C-alpha cells in the first residue's frame, strides 16, 4: 500500500459540493473533497502506519493530509516530523485536527504545544492550543500540571481578544477542554469563559458557530461527564 495507491482510491470518492465547502473554509487545491466519514473507512482498514502517514501528508493533497492524521502512529512520530506537519498545515482541518491530534498523543505533546502557542503564524499557534486541549482530553490528570493549565487559562483570557482569527477559536476550545477534562479547574474555566464573553470568529461565510464555552462546560457537568477522558484524540 502506497500513498499513490491511496490517492487513486480517494479521487473517485471526491464530491464537488464537499470540495466547495472545504474551500470556503480555507482548503485549496489539490483536494478531491472526500467526506471525513469516508476517510474513516480507510482509517479502519489501515489502522496505524507511520511511513504511509508521512507520505500521504507530503503529497500536499488535503484529503490525504487529513487521512495521514487519522492513521498516524504518534508514538513513532519524531519531533521534526511534527514540526514539519505544523509548518505545512495551511488550513484548520490540518492544523487543529490532523496535526494536533497526532501531536497530543506523541511524547512531545506539551513541549510542542507550548512552542507552537508562541508562534507568530496563526495556524501554528492554533495547532498549539488544540494540541494542549487534546492532551487534556487523553492524559490522566497526574500527567498534567494544573498550575500551568490555570496560567494558560489566564493567558487565553488576556490574549484571545487580539489573537488571529483561528487562534481565537482554538483558545476558546482550550477553555472548554480545561473545564471539561480537569474538574479541579472547571469553575476557573467557567469564570474565564464568562469574562471573555462570546468569541467572534470569521467562519468563512458558513453557518458554523463558535461554541459558548461556559454553556458548553455546564452541559458537560449536567451530563455527569466532567473529567471523563477520551481513549484517543482522533475523532
Amino acid at each position: 500500500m502506497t500513498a499513490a495507491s491511496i490517492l487513486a482510491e480517494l479521487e473517485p470518492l471526491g464530491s464537488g459540493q464537499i470540495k466547495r465547502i472545504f474551500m470556503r473554509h480555507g482548503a485549496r487545491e489539490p483536494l478531491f473533497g472526500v467526506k471525513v466519514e469516508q476517510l474513516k473507512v480507510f482509517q479502519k482498514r489501515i489502522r496505524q502506519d507511520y511511513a504511509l502517514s508521512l507520505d500521504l501528508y507530503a503529497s500536499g493533497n488535503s484529503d490525504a493530509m487529513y487521512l495521514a492524521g487519522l492513521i498516524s502512529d504518534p508514538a513513532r512520530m519524531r519531533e521534526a516530523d511534527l514540526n514539519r506537519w505544523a509548518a505545512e498545515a495551511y488550513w484548520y482541518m490540518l492544523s487543529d485536527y490532523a496535526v494536533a491530534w497526532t501531536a497530543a498523543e506523541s511524547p512531545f505533546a506539551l513541549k510542542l504545544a507550548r512552542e507552537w502557542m508562541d508562534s507568530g503564524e496563526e495556524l501554528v499557534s492554533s495547532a498549539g492550543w488544540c494540541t494542549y486541549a487534546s492532551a487534556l482530553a487523553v492524559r490522566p490528570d497526574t500527567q498534567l500540571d494544573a498550575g500551568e493549565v490555570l496560567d494558560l487559562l489566564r493567558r487565553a483570557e488576556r490574549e484571545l481578544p487580539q489573537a488571529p482569527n483561528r487562534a481565537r477559536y482554538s483558545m476558546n476550545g482550550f477553555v472548554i477542554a480545561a473545564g471539561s477534562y480537569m474538574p479541579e479547574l472547571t469553575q476557573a474555566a467557567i469564570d474565564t469563559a464568562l469574562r471573555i464573553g462570546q468569541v467572534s470568529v470569521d467562519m468563512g461565510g458558513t453557518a458554523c458557530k463558535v461554541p459558548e464555552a461556559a454553556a458548553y462546560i455546564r452541559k458537560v457537568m449536567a451530563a455527569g461527564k466532567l473529567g471523563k477522558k477520551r481513549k484517543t484524540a482522533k475523532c
Side-chain angles (χ1 to χ4, degrees):
M1 190 180 304
T2 65
S5 68
I6 295 296
L7 283 163
E9 288 188 65
L10 289 175
E11 185 169 11
L13 299 176
S15 158
Q17 180 183 10
I18 297 299
K19 183 174 180 178
R20 287 190 293 273
I21 291 171
F22 285 174
M23 294 186 80
R24 286 204 300 272
H25 280 271
R28 62 176 184 240
E29 298 283 3
L31 78 158
F32 305 131
V34 181
K35 294 180 179 179
V36 171
E37 64 193 58
Q38 293 175 305
L39 294 176
K40 288 185 176 181
V41 174
F42 286 82
Q43 179 190 17
K44 289 180 180 179
R45 190 175 89 198
I46 300 168
R47 296 185 183 276
Q48 289 186 331
D49 191 318
Y50 169 69
L52 181 57
S53 73
L54 295 185
D55 289 343
L56 286 171
Y57 202 89
S59 74
N61 177 285
S62 178
D63 304 295
M65 294 170 81
Y66 188 91
L67 177 58
L70 292 177
I71 67 164
S72 64
D73 186 345
R76 294 188 60 190
M77 291 291 284
R78 299 173 300 173
E79 191 171 351
D81 296 329
L82 292 163
N83 275 317
R84 184 171 62 255
W85 277 26
E88 295 175 359
Y90 68 86
W91 75 296
Y92 75 83
M93 279 190 65
L94 303 179
S95 62
D96 297 2
Y97 305 148
V99 174
W101 292 341
T102 301
E105 295 185 16
S106 79
F108 315 104
L110 301 184
K111 176 180 184 294
L112 289 178
R114 297 182 196 106
E115 292 175 1
W116 292 346
M117 286 175 185
D118 292 337
S119 172
E121 296 293 328
E122 176 180 355
L123 291 180
V124 176
S125 175
S126 182
W129 288 96
C130 287
T131 296
Y132 210 120
S134 288
L136 294 177
V138 298
R139 292 190 172 210
D141 287 355
T142 53
Q143 294 180 13
L144 300 166
D145 182 341
E148 180 177 62
V149 178
L150 183 59
D151 286 343
L152 289 172
L153 285 172
R154 293 168 179 154
R155 177 177 173 179
E157 179 181 350
R158 184 172 63 250
E159 297 181 3
L160 189 150
Q162 293 80 37
N165 191 64
R166 193 64 202 181
R168 292 199 300 277
Y169 190 96
S170 300
M171 288 180 182
N172 187 65
F174 174 84
V175 173
I176 291 173
S180 299
Y181 295 110
M182 295 193 74
E184 67 180 289
L185 295 179
T186 294
Q187 191 58 53
I190 290 174
D191 292 344
T192 298
L194 292 174
R195 288 192 295 268
I196 291 172
Q198 182 61 49
V199 177
S200 175
V201 176
D202 180 357
M203 304 299 287
T206 68
C208 297
K209 297 181 179 179
V210 182
E212 202 285 298
Y216 194 105
I217 296 168
R218 285 169 175 152
K219 286 182 181 178
V220 174
M221 186 187 306
K225 294 182 178 180
L226 282 180
K228 185 176 181 180
K229 303 288 184 173
R230 297 171 55 90
K231 292 181 179 180
T232 178
K234 302 176 184 181
C235 61

